[in-house]
Amino acid sequence: MRILVTGGAGFIGSHLCERLLSQGHEVICLDNYFTGRKENIFHLMDDHRFELIRHDVTEPIFLEVDQIYNLACPASPVHYQFNPVKTVKTSVMGAINMLGLAKRVRARIFQASTSEVYGDPLIHPQTEDYWGNVNPIGLRSCYDEGKRIAETLFMDYHRQNGVDTRIVRIFNTYGPKMLENDGRVVSNFIVQALKGEELTIYGEGNQTRSFCYVDDLVEGFIRLMNAEAEDIHLPVNIGNPGEFTMNELAQEVGKAIGKDIKITHLPLPQDDPKQRKPNIERAQRLLGWQPTIPLAEGLKKTVEYFAKRI
Ligand code: NAD
Ligand code: UDP
């Protein structure tokens, strides 16, 4: 198949491009390099089945493809809050442009949604039928609400135009090829620990997240994209149900690096969700998917990557 990956030069997108090429597909990687980099996909450039397009998803594009993975959107709070209006445009106009393309060429299309659609969740663990607890006017809203509207558009293009859609709700994912200055917690802690700096825990560090290694996530993506079922168009959580406080994560990073770590506490950002853990029964039932890489193992692989870079 010929497959378009928007945001293909980013952290998750570059892993996805690599996997799709290894399965024998032609891959078109589309990116505006806001948070992505050519370095992530440089090793794929010699493959004649790999094509790179510098383009912004807020603008329409005409291509002939069989499948579209729509990943284009900054994912780290630091990056998506840098230009919040642009973040909304990327999610909303990006979804409209890609859904229009999918409709025109009858391609199957996949949306990288997020656990952020649950906001600061009052249901724990989060199941897909939970509508969420999102502040519509806060600093995180440009991302959370942009992703929620993208889900709405995917469902409406499916119901109204018969577009063959898939929606994944991704929980915190980590691994090699994250940016050193990404601002997300795993890369921050690893880079800080490797440099012998204090690990910056925001707030008391009792808030929880569930961390999925990128290879597990990409496996879930490909299974969902190619699965068939009556309710396959409804969102599917993909994440690792192992739940850690930020204090525990800091200790795990210390163990992975084999060093004593030092900690400093910084103020908790506005609207920081207190807890996050996926219920993955739907992914297990529809896709036979569950994560295989525990945090300790995934952190070791990620530490190796950052140790080479810094
Ligand atoms: P990332 O920032 O590394 O990748 C995003 C990519 O999209 C980058 O290459 C960036 O340059 C590109 N991009 C941004 N705006 C664009 C635009 N207007 N036009 C074209 N390209 C644009 O982030 P990631 O972690 O790889 O996330 C990929 C997707 O998965 C995002 O949609 C994100 O919201 C979603 N997601 C990620 C996580 C996670 O934990 N990593 C969690 C939930 C959802
Ligand atoms: N966090 C932290 N120190 C950091 C970066 C983040 O304690 O250096 C916390 C942050 O407040 C949040 C959690 O780690 O509670 C996850 O943050 P991240 O930005 O990685 O993802 P998100 O909040 O979007 O889930």
Side-chain angles (χ1 to χ4, degrees):
M1 282 186 280
R2 185 179 303 145
I3 303 179
L4 172 65
V5 179
T6 78
F11 159 50
I12 298 172
S14 56
H15 286 273
L16 178 63
C17 288
E18 203 174 290
R19 274 292 291 280
L20 294 171
L21 282 171
S22 76
Q23 293 185 333
H25 299 293
E26 265 181 60
V27 174
I28 302 178
C29 167
L30 179 157
D31 211 293
N32 72 349
Y33 304 112
F34 174 43
T35 51
R37 51 183 170 190
K38 285 197 189 142
E39 227 178 309
N40 284 346
I41 37 157
F42 194 63
H43 61 296
L44 307 176
M45 301 244 195
D46 283 340
D47 191 326
H48 66 280
R49 290 166 305 137
F50 183 71
E51 212 174 314
L52 196 54
I53 302 179
R54 179 189 286 266
H55 182 81
D56 195 304
V57 284
T58 59
E59 300 292 337
I61 189 163
F62 294 89
L63 298 165
E64 314 302 322
V65 292
D66 304 298
Q67 290 188 339
I68 303 168
Y69 287 87
N70 187 35
L71 272 61
C73 184
S76 160
V78 178
H79 294 137
Y80 71 63
Q81 288 169 19
F82 173 74
N83 183 346
V85 173
K86 175 70 194 226
T87 300
V88 175
K89 287 184 184 169
T90 294
S91 273
V92 178
M93 292 162 71
I96 292 173
N97 287 327
M98 290 306 124
L99 284 160
L101 173 63
K103 180 180 158 194
R104 185 176 65 81
V105 301
R106 295 197 172 83
R108 182 174 288 179
I109 180 165
F110 174 107
Q111 168 66 2
S113 188
T114 170
S115 56
E116 301 287 334
V117 300
Y118 301 124
D120 192 3
L122 306 175
I123 299 283
H124 196 72
Q126 292 77 54
T127 43
E128 289 89 347
D129 57 5
Y130 177 49
W131 291 353
N133 177 34
V134 175
N135 175 359
I137 55 168
L139 295 179
R140 294 174 80 99
S141 315
C142 59
Y143 184 75
D144 302 4
E145 297 288 14
K147 289 283 186 180
R148 284 169 68 96
I149 266 288
E151 287 198 6
T152 308
L153 285 162
F154 267 66
M155 290 308 300
D156 282 334
Y157 266 78
H158 172 65
R159 286 185 287 243
Q160 191 178 332
N161 302 110
V163 175
D164 192 4
T165 51
R166 302 286 185 276
I167 299 171
V168 64
R169 289 187 181 150
I170 305 166
F171 284 66
N172 297 60
T173 299
Y174 68 99
K177 294 186 182 172
M178 292 181 92
L179 293 173
E180 293 88 90
N181 63 352
D182 182 276
R184 283 178 278 188
V185 69
V186 175
S187 43
N188 271 9
F189 283 4
I190 292 179
V191 169
Q192 289 160 348
L194 284 169
K195 289 184 171 167
E197 295 170 358
E198 294 174 327
L199 274 58
T200 52
I201 292 183
Y202 300 163
E204 296 296 314
N206 297 323
Q207 68 273 38
T208 67
R209 293 293 186 275
S210 300
F211 298 99
C212 185
Y213 188 68
V214 63
D215 289 355
D216 278 334
L217 181 84
V218 167
E219 177 64 29
F221 275 22
I222 292 173
R223 287 194 196 194
L224 174 59
M225 180 62 127
N226 298 292
E228 308 278 354
E230 204 182 323
D231 60 348
I232 200 71
H233 306 290
L234 296 173
V236 180
N237 287 340
I238 298 277
N240 190 325
E243 185 183 7
F244 295 83
T245 65
M246 294 313 104
N247 292 326
E248 288 166 343
L249 178 69
Q251 296 308 322
E252 289 294 322
V253 167
K255 279 189 228 160
I257 293 184
K259 270 196 204 169
D260 283 340
I261 48 154
K262 293 169 282 179
I263 285 179
T264 180
H265 288 270
L266 296 179
L268 193 64
Q270 189 195 89
D271 292 340
D272 200 275
K274 289 182 247 343
Q275 52 182 0
R276 188 73 68 56
K277 172 182 172 146
N279 174 311
I280 59 164
E281 282 166 25
R282 204 170 131 71
Q284 284 169 323
R285 174 171 64 80
L286 288 173
L287 318 175
W289 179 89
Q290 57 184 30
T292 59
I293 301 167
L295 184 66
E297 188 184 334
L299 282 180
K300 281 219 166 94
K301 291 173 195 263
T302 313
V303 165
E304 272 169 37
Y305 169 80
F306 280 114
K308 274 189 216 137
R309 286 194 66 88
I310 58 179

